[in-house]
Amino acid sequence: MDTDQSVVLPHRFTGRTSGATLLKLSCARPRPGRPFGADAVARLTADGLLGQVLWSTTCTATDVSWANFQQLRDSGLFLAQVDLGGAAGDPARVRELVLAVQILRSLGILVEYDLDLFAGTPRFAGVRDKVAMLRAMVGDGSTPAYFTTAAIVADCSPWLAGYRQRLDPAVQPWLGAGGLSQQLSEAWAEILLAERLLLGLRGGAAHRIALQRLTLRSNTELLNLVATSAREFETSGGTRLLDDELVGPRAELLTQTMLALRNRFWAANKHVVPGPVAAYGG
């Protein structure tokens, strides 16, 4: 069992884990009479760790069911890395994925995923499909939107290659190191961990509502930026929508709102953080 927290929370890791022990466990594929995650719970029980640690795992959308994951949550599961499995562009698989994410978040389980916007067969249509999938997944604001824009290695049109080069710096306020999506992910992890550890948070419900609204605003801004700029670039070979003077102020406003929200919440909850509470953005 891996106790490296940087592995457990590749996107969401925060220093404010409130002393929790976080493990990453691999789960065997389900089979009749042995549901997904049963082997992980058995290992925790055998090691005397059940109820003593929080843990994460990787799963597919088909692995997720309410009853089983409710039991896994009660056994310490707090984060699921969901394999998107090429669902973009397949309406049935997207619906299955959206349902899985909804179940996980309604159970209070954090959701992570990996998505490269230009992987596979790079086309503008593929970008549209992935953005549409993300909209469906994160549409309620309980999970931040994020993706990568790695260099395109397969053959593609010069316009798509040019679009990727323009898009990559434009989305860094959200997706770069310490960007808005990462900060939102950390904020969700912070409150979930504190609630799971029964630390007696003040204003937790109000903070969740404010955080969900801000996450929805951020997701909408980011995905609209990609969708509209991609459409314009595909038809004309260029766009000003990605210019820093247009993107920067909107991203900065969201970032400052995020910093203020987190700082207010933790200032009101100094009693659950050992030692001085350092302000975010300071």
Side-chain angles (χ1 to χ4, degrees):
M1 292 185 292
D2 191 346
T3 58
D4 181 350
Q5 293 176 338
S6 65
V7 174
V8 175
L9 292 171
H11 299 297
R12 305 173 186 275
F13 178 64
T14 170
R16 290 184 181 163
T17 57
S18 305
T21 299
L22 309 178
L23 306 180
K24 184 173 184 179
L25 306 180
S26 60
C27 297
R29 306 307 310 156
R31 61 179 188 269
R34 194 167 181 83
F36 180 86
D39 56 324
V41 174
R43 275 182 285 159
L44 290 171
T45 302
D47 292 341
L49 295 176
L50 189 65
Q52 307 300 313
V53 299
L54 298 175
W55 55 283
S56 69
T57 195
T58 299
C59 66
T60 66
T62 57
D63 293 328
V64 178
S65 68
W66 177 278
N68 185 42
F69 271 72
Q70 185 177 40
Q71 293 179 345
L72 295 179
R73 179 204 61 190
D74 294 343
S75 299
L77 178 66
F78 79 102
L79 183 150
Q81 175 96 21
V82 180
D83 182 358
L84 303 185
D90 184 330
R93 295 184 67 186
V94 169
R95 286 194 296 271
E96 183 180 54
L97 178 62
V98 170
L99 178 60
V101 171
Q102 289 174 342
I103 289 173
L104 292 168
R105 293 304 290 124
S106 64
L107 289 171
I109 298 171
L110 294 171
V111 173
E112 284 194 345
Y113 53 89
D114 289 318
L115 178 68
D116 191 291
L117 210 57
F118 299 96
T121 303
R123 296 178 300 148
F124 278 104
V127 172
R128 288 195 297 272
D129 287 342
K130 290 175 182 178
V131 170
M133 179 181 68
L134 278 178
R135 282 192 195 278
M137 284 176 55
V138 303
D140 68 348
S142 66
T143 301
Y146 52 84
F147 51 83
T148 56
T149 54
I152 300 173
V153 295
D155 291 337
C156 69
S157 73
W159 280 12
L160 184 64
Y163 175 66
R164 191 210 69 82
Q165 291 178 337
R166 288 291 317 281
L167 179 67
D168 182 67
V171 297
Q172 290 308 299
W174 283 270
L175 307 178
L180 182 57
S181 289
Q182 179 180 329
Q183 291 191 48
L184 288 165
S185 296
E186 290 179 352
W188 280 109
E190 287 171 350
I191 190 169
L192 181 142
L193 287 170
E195 288 176 342
R196 292 286 290 269
L197 295 171
L198 303 176
L199 296 181
L201 296 175
R202 296 170 182 162
H207 182 65
R208 273 180 169 273
I209 292 171
L211 186 58
Q212 187 166 3
R213 288 174 176 170
L214 181 59
T215 304
L216 179 57
R217 284 176 57 195
S218 175
N219 291 350
T220 301
E221 190 78 43
L222 174 61
L223 297 179
N224 282 350
L225 176 66
V226 177
T228 55
S229 63
R231 183 167 56 248
E232 187 169 301
F233 210 104
E234 184 180 17
T235 57
S236 66
T239 180
R240 290 202 63 241
L241 296 174
L242 300 175
D243 290 356
D244 183 63
E245 59 265 29
L246 298 178
V247 176
R250 303 202 302 269
E252 179 63 19
L253 176 61
L254 291 168
T255 299
Q256 292 305 315
T257 304
M258 173 77 264
L259 293 174
L261 178 64
R262 293 178 82 183
N263 285 330
R264 281 197 306 270
F265 179 68
W266 286 108
N269 285 281
K270 294 179 181 179
H271 62 289
V272 305
V273 182
V277 179
Y280 290 104

